[in-house]
Amino acid sequence: MTQLNGITNPKTKRSKRFLESRAPKLVEDGKSAMIMKGGNTSQLISNVLKDIYALKKPNAVLYKKKNITRPFEDSTSLEFFSKKTDCSLFLFGSHSKKRPDNLILGRLFDFHVLDMIELGIEKFSSLSDIKASKCPEGTKPMLLFAGEAFDTDNEHKRLKSLLIDFFRGPNVSAVRLAGLEHVLHFTSLDGKIYMRSYRSLLKKSGCRTPRIELEEIGPSLDLVLRRTHLASDDLYKLAHRKPKALKAKKKKNISHDAFGTKFGRVHMQKQDLSKLRTRKMKGLRKRKGRAAVGEQDGPAPKEARVAS
């Protein structure tokens, strides 16, 4: 590929396909994550990164070598790797005396860091520690959030958005009931965040709707919130902007309720009901002659019969 006046021109068909895959699209591809460790790490951090990589596969890239960088001080190396691997999410693990067992969860916009949130690990149970059958690789999880902080506190709100971006998986048009088997539950309580992973089991209930049970499969994490680097409101709004071609055009006289049911309003001209033709019935036919006159004057009195 040659570059002229800031424009990269492909020389081969392979490089052309590569540039087309990286070009902006109306509907972007699924987000991928890069998982890396810093210059100093512990065995706990290595196990956490491996387990989260197992949850994210195949939409993740795991770096096995150490990267001597500090994202909160200099994020140029993260932006370089993001542009190289076309990843918009990252998870960085490190360990130090000041911040032991440290995780940094973040995302990028236009290959520049948008949000970063630092989390400390207090307790961890790996996938191998919990003896249970696991979900298949690439299963799209269901995300559950519990706790008032996710709705009231600004930092927890941004953390919730970041976790949804990280674990949501690819966009799908339809889901079968048997495919809803992986549940990720996040609870905010007393300043801590508890992450639990479950497998949903469909049991017989004696009716058409199955009975659902949750079985913990791991990993299990107890986290505490540390430093944050949040984007400004203007930049955050710019990152969520949709192109005009994807915005749905508003249709007149059509509305939807809270459940997505579609309602339409029809405008009609005033109808003359006197000319309305209804179904003919024998009981509604007009009688001819005296019967018709008798109906107008009222019913005739009954005559008494005299025996002769």
Side-chain angles (χ1 to χ4, degrees), residues 286-300:
K286 292 182 179 180
R287 298 180 181 180
K288 298 180 180 179
R290 293 175 60 185
V293 176
E295 287 180 358
Q296 294 178 1
D297 298 336

Side-chain angles (χ1 to χ4, degrees), residues 62-268:
L62 178 64
Y63 288 92
K64 296 182 179 180
K65 293 184 178 181
K66 296 181 179 181
N67 297 276
I68 304 175
T69 181
R70 296 177 179 176
F72 276 90
E73 298 175 7
D74 185 16
S75 59
T76 53
S77 60
L78 290 176
E79 295 169 356
F80 169 76
F81 285 117
S82 171
K83 191 174 291 186
K84 184 178 180 181
T85 57
D86 195 23
C87 293
S88 57
L89 301 165
F90 69 88
L91 180 65
F92 185 85
S94 61
H95 178 77
S96 64
K97 186 177 181 180
K98 188 177 181 181
R99 296 182 180 90
D101 301 327
N102 200 47
L103 287 177
I104 299 176
L105 188 68
R107 55 186 167 190
L108 300 99
F109 169 65
D110 196 18
F111 301 113
H112 295 286
V113 173
L114 182 68
D115 290 330
M116 282 191 297
I117 296 179
E118 192 175 60
L119 302 167
I121 302 174
E122 293 189 344
K123 187 179 178 182
F124 170 65
S125 299
S126 65
L127 284 166
S128 57
D129 293 340
I130 301 175
K131 305 299 181 182
S133 57
K134 312 301 180 184
C135 296
E137 179 184 320
T139 303
K140 187 178 175 70
M142 296 178 284
L143 304 178
L144 301 177
F145 292 87
E148 294 182 359
F150 285 125
D151 298 324
T152 56
D153 185 60
N154 188 31
E155 291 182 351
H156 283 77
K157 281 182 181 179
R158 198 65 63 90
L159 176 61
K160 177 181 176 181
S161 174
L162 190 54
L163 290 171
I164 291 173
D165 255 2
F166 197 88
F167 290 107
R168 68 183 301 174
N171 295 326
V172 294
S173 58
V175 179
R176 65 189 182 96
L177 183 61
L180 300 174
E181 56 179 339
H182 189 201
V183 180
L184 285 177
H185 191 273
F186 299 93
T187 305
S188 175
L189 183 65
D190 298 333
K192 295 182 181 180
I193 298 160
Y194 302 93
M195 173 184 168
R196 299 292 183 267
S197 179
Y198 300 99
R199 180 169 178 258
S200 61
L201 304 175
L202 303 180
K203 302 288 186 177
K204 293 182 178 180
S205 61
C207 59
R208 187 174 183 182
T209 304
R211 180 171 55 88
I212 299 175
E213 291 184 1
L214 296 179
E215 179 186 19
E216 188 172 359
I217 60 174
S220 172
L221 287 164
D222 292 356
L223 306 169
V224 60
L225 194 64
R226 290 177 179 169
R227 293 182 293 175
T228 59
H229 171 77
L230 305 181
S232 61
D233 294 338
D234 295 337
L235 182 60
Y236 192 71
K237 187 177 180 181
L238 179 64
H240 283 77
R241 189 175 62 180
K242 290 184 179 181
K244 292 183 179 180
L246 290 181
K247 291 183 179 179
K249 295 182 179 179
K250 189 176 181 180
K251 297 181 180 180
K252 293 183 178 180
N253 305 319
I254 293 179
S255 60
H256 297 81
D257 62 357
F259 301 100
T261 307
K262 191 175 182 180
F263 294 96
R265 180 180 294 178
V266 180
H267 296 274
M268 300 178 63

